[in-house]
């Protein structure tokens, strides 16, 4: 896990629901089969990097389709955009593949990872995210998530998905 010396602990998240699901799930389809009955908007998360090695943590609705090429200008990516390696995920966010979550940004130094949240999620009353493991689901208000990330020094950018042909990611 990334080292965050002097890190202040004590954020207040108001979880609306926590759920334990013993089955690990790294694909959204499998997660929906196991957890689709939990109230709130389910999310998926992409940990991406561009040609200049800038990393992006992107949280979207679980059913959003993404065209990485069309997504580059939305993120301000320079060069090609691809998925970051499992090693980079562990080093920068302190989580394993399948457990990516906007909460993992709390393990990263502010500014080291660019955080993006789909704008439609901000309109939802509750969203569901992994609390750093993919065997649990945490339901919380999007405003609480944004406040905790900002309080930790992270900039959170909302975005609209670009129009155009997209594929399921």
């Amino acid at each position: 896990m990334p080292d965050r010396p002097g890190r202040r602990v004590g954020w207040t998240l108001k979880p609306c629901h926590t759920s334990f699901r013993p089955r690990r799930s790294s694909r959204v389809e499998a997660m929906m089969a196991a957890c689709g009955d939990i109230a709130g908007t389910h999310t998926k998360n992409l940990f991406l990097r561009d040609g200049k090695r800038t990393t992006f943590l992107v949280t979207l609705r679980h059913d959003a389709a993404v065209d990485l090429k069309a997504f580059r200008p939305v993120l301000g990516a320079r060069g090609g955009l691809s998925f970051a390696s499992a090693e980079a995920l562990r080093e920068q966010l302190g989580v394993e593949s399948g457990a990516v979550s906007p909460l993992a940004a709390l393990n990263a130094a502010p500014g080291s990872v660019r955080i993006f949240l789909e704008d439609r999620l901000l309109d939802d009353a509750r969203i569901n995210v992994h609390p750093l493991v993919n065997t649990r689901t945490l339901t919380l208000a999007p405003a609480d998530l944004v406040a905790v990330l900002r309080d930790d020094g992270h900039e959170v950018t909302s975005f609209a998905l670009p129009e155009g042909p997209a594929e399921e990611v």
Side-chain angles (χ1 to χ4, degrees):
M1 182 173 294
D3 185 23
R4 294 279 311 269
R7 182 172 163 212
R8 184 172 49 87
V9 178
W11 302 281
T12 302
L13 281 177
K14 299 173 193 151
C16 303
H17 174 81
T18 55
S19 175
F20 174 73
R21 303 290 186 183
R23 185 200 300 162
R24 288 189 179 273
S25 167
S26 62
R27 299 287 304 165
V28 172
E29 298 83 18
M31 180 273 304
M32 288 304 293
C35 303
D37 60 325
I38 298 173
T41 301
H42 293 278
T43 60
K44 69 179 168 186
N45 301 275
L46 308 176
F47 188 54
L48 306 170
R49 70 170 234 188
D50 68 10
K52 301 292 183 183
R53 298 195 182 269
T54 302
T55 52
F56 307 88
L57 176 56
V58 182
T59 301
L60 315 117
R61 286 182 179 219
H62 79 279
D63 57 355
V66 175
D67 174 358
L68 290 183
K69 189 173 183 178
F71 210 43
R72 285 192 329 230
V74 172
L75 302 178
R78 297 168 295 162
L81 189 62
S82 62
F83 289 94
S85 69
E87 181 181 343
L89 181 61
R90 278 189 300 278
E91 286 177 6
Q92 293 188 342
L93 298 181
V95 297
E96 297 297 323
S97 181
V100 181
S101 164
L103 294 173
L106 298 172
N107 290 332
S112 65
V113 175
R114 297 187 58 202
I115 304 166
F116 288 82
L117 192 65
E118 184 182 1
D119 57 359
R120 296 185 306 159
L121 291 172
L122 297 172
D123 296 331
D124 294 326
R126 302 283 180 252
I127 60 172
N128 300 313
V129 300
H130 288 309
L132 308 183
V133 295
N134 64 356
T135 56
R136 295 198 182 339
T137 300
L138 178 67
T139 303
L140 47 87
D144 289 345
L145 171 65
V146 171
V148 165
L149 292 170
R150 287 185 175 152
D151 188 48
D152 193 47
H154 297 281
E155 181 179 333
V156 180
T157 304
S158 68
F159 69 93
L161 281 174
E163 301 269 335
E167 54 191 70
E168 196 64 33
V169 180

